[in-house]
Amino acid sequence: MVRPGRQPALVVAVVFTAAAVVQQILLAVGVGGPLPGWQPLPFLLVAAPAWLLARPWATAGRKPPYVLSWLVVRLRHVPPWALPAAVLVAAAVVWAALQDQEPYLGHEEAVYANKARSWLDGTPDAGWGTYRPIGLPVLGRLALGVSDTVGAVRAVALVLALFTLTVTYVVAARWTTPRRAAVAALLVLGGLGFLRRLPEFLNDIGSTGLLLIVVYLLTRAQEKPSSRALLWVPPVSLAAFYLRYGVAGNLVAIAIAAVAVYGPRAWLAQRGRLAVAAAVFLAGLVPHFVYATKVAGWPLGLVFSATSHANRAYVGDGFVYYLGIFPYRLAGDLGAVVMAAGLYAAGAAFRRRRSTGTEGRTARRKVFLGSTAVLVIVLLGMATDGEPRFIYLSVVLLTILGVQEISDLTGRWSAHVLTAVVLLAAVTVPATAMSVARGAMPAPNAERDSTVPVAEQLASDGPCLLVTGYEPEMGWYSGCDAITYAQAAETDFPAGTRVSFVLFQHGRLQPGAAALRDLIDGHSVTTRTISTTGSLGTATVITLR
C-alpha cells in the first residue's frame, strides 16, 4: 500500500496521467478540435511531480500493474534490433503521411531546392544568399538528378531524419542499453519540434545527427584514451558545418563544455591527437575561409552574416524564447517530462561533483551532456532568433539522459515504467503528427494556395524575374528568378528579361504606391489580376514592357 500521506499525490498522478493518455488517443484519431491549436495540454507536467511524491515503486511489497508486467515479459522476447527498426519504420510512415498535408515547398525549403535545381538545369537560384551552406543543395542536386520533383528533395529529408534517429539509437545504446536507446529514439521522433520539420527539406535534423556523433566521439576520447576517436571529430564536424553553418554555435558550446567538464589537462594528455585533429579541422575550413574572404571581406564573414540575417528583435530574444517554450513546446507533453528528468540528472551529477570532489566516468559524462545541452540553448539564444529546430541537439541529449534517469529512479519498476513510456510514446507519435497536420500546416498551406498558382501562371520559356515578398517559393514554382522589393530598389533590371511585380491583397513586405512608382520608373506596364483561393487573396501582377 502507498503511505497515507502519499495517497492524494497518487490520485493526482493517476488522474492526470489518464487525462494525458486519453488526450493523445483523441488527437491520434483526429479529435483535437477543442484543444487550442490542436496542441495537447501539458497534463504530464502535473502528473510527473505527483508520481515523484507518491513513489509507488518505493513501497515495499507493492507490485507493478499486471498489464505492465505482462507486457514486460512479452517485450523481453522481442529482438533488440526490432525496436529501433520499428522507430525508423514509424518515422518513414509519418513522413509519407505528412507529405499530403504539406504538398508545397516552404520558404526555407525552396531556397535550398532552387540552388539544387540551378546546378541541374541552370534555373535561377531564387532566394539564395552567400551566407547559406552548400551541403543540402548538393544532396538535393543528387535527388533531382533522379526525379525533378518536390518529392525527390523531400526524400532527402527522410534520409537525413532516418540517419539522425539511427545515430540517436546507436549513441544512446553505447551510453545506456539498447532497449533504453530505442525508447530515447522513439521519444525524439514524437517530439513536437522534431516532428514538425520531419517532412521538410531542411538541414537541421541531419546536422543534429552529425553533432551527436561529435559529442559521442569526445566522450569516447576521454573514456578510452587509447582510442582514435579524437581523430574522427574533425571530418564529422566539417560535415556538420558544410551542411549547416549554424552548427558553429553548437560546436563552440560542445568545445566549451568539453574543456570545462573534463579539464584542459585531460585534453592535453592527448596533445598529439589533439594537434592533428585541430590541423585537419582548420585545413577543412580553408576553402570556406577563402570563399568567405572573397564575398564577405574576412574569413568569418559568412558565419556572422548568417547571424545578421536572423529575425530577432534584440540580442538575446532567442534565449528568452527558449526559456518560454522549454521543455514542453520543444518535445511535447511526454518528451518534456523526460527532458526535465535529463536536466535533473545532469544537475545532480554536477552537485555531487561539487560536494564530494570525486566522480565516475558515467557521472562526468552526464555533466558533459547536460552542460552541452544548456550551453547550446544559451549561445544560440544569444546569437540568433529562436526556433525549436536550432536546438535539436539539446533535446536529444536531455532525452537520452532523461530515459536513463527515469530508469535509475524507479529501480525495480524501471522496466515497467519504461514500458509505460513506450506505450504512451507510441500513441504520441501519431497524435503529434495529427497535431502538426491539423494545427501547424493549414496556415502556411493557405498562404501557398495563393503563391503557387500565381507563380505557375507566371512561368515563362524566356528569362523572367519576379519581384515579390515570397521570392523563393515563387521562384521554384515559376522557374523564374525572384527578388524582394527591397532588393529590387537596389537592382538594375537585366535587359531582355520579363520583369513582373507581384502584389497580393494580403501580402507581406510590399511597397506603398509611391515606392511602387519609383520601382516602375516610368516604364510602360501591363497589369492583370489573378484570383486565388488562398489566404493572401487576389494577386495583382504588374509587368514592365
Side-chain angles (χ1 to χ4, degrees), residues 25 31 43 53 60 120 153 167 235 300 316 480 491 539 541:
I25 291 174
V31 185
F43 290 130
L53 290 174
L120 176 69
V153 293
V167 170
L300 297 179
C480 300
T491 300
V541 181

Side-chain angles (χ1 to χ4, degrees), residues 126-163:
W128 184 257
T130 55
Y131 61 91
R132 295 185 181 273
I134 62 171
L136 190 61
V138 168
L139 298 177
R141 167 62 181 84
L142 296 175
L144 291 174
V146 177
S147 175
D148 188 6
T149 61
V150 169
V153 293
R154 287 275 181 84
V156 173
L158 174 61
V159 172
L160 292 176
L162 296 179
F163 163 75

Side-chain angles (χ1 to χ4, degrees), residues 450-459 474 478 502 504 530-532 539 541:
S450 291
T451 58
V452 172
V454 171
E456 290 175 341
Q457 289 197 41
L458 295 177
M474 296 195 71
S478 68
V502 183
F504 288 97
I530 302 175
S531 298
T532 74
V541 181

Side-chain angles (χ1 to χ4, degrees), residues 383-405:
T384 185
D385 59 321
E387 283 199 43
R389 62 191 177 98
F390 294 165
I391 57 171
Y392 284 155
L393 179 63
S394 297
V395 174
V396 173
L397 292 177
L398 291 179
T399 299
I400 294 172
L401 284 172
V403 169
Q404 183 62 40
E405 180 64 16

Side-chain angles (χ1 to χ4, degrees), residues 26 107 113 157 191 200 229 252 456 472 480 489 513 537:
L26 290 176
H107 180 96
E200 297 182 343
V252 170
E456 290 175 341
C480 300

Side-chain angles (χ1 to χ4, degrees), residues 1 66 76 91 97 100-101 112 179 188 369 371 383 399 432 452 472:
M1 295 292 293
Y66 172 77
R76 282 173 179 161
D100 290 336
Q101 305 299 321
Y112 293 107
R179 293 182 184 274
V188 169
L369 301 185
S371 300
T399 299
T432 304
V452 172

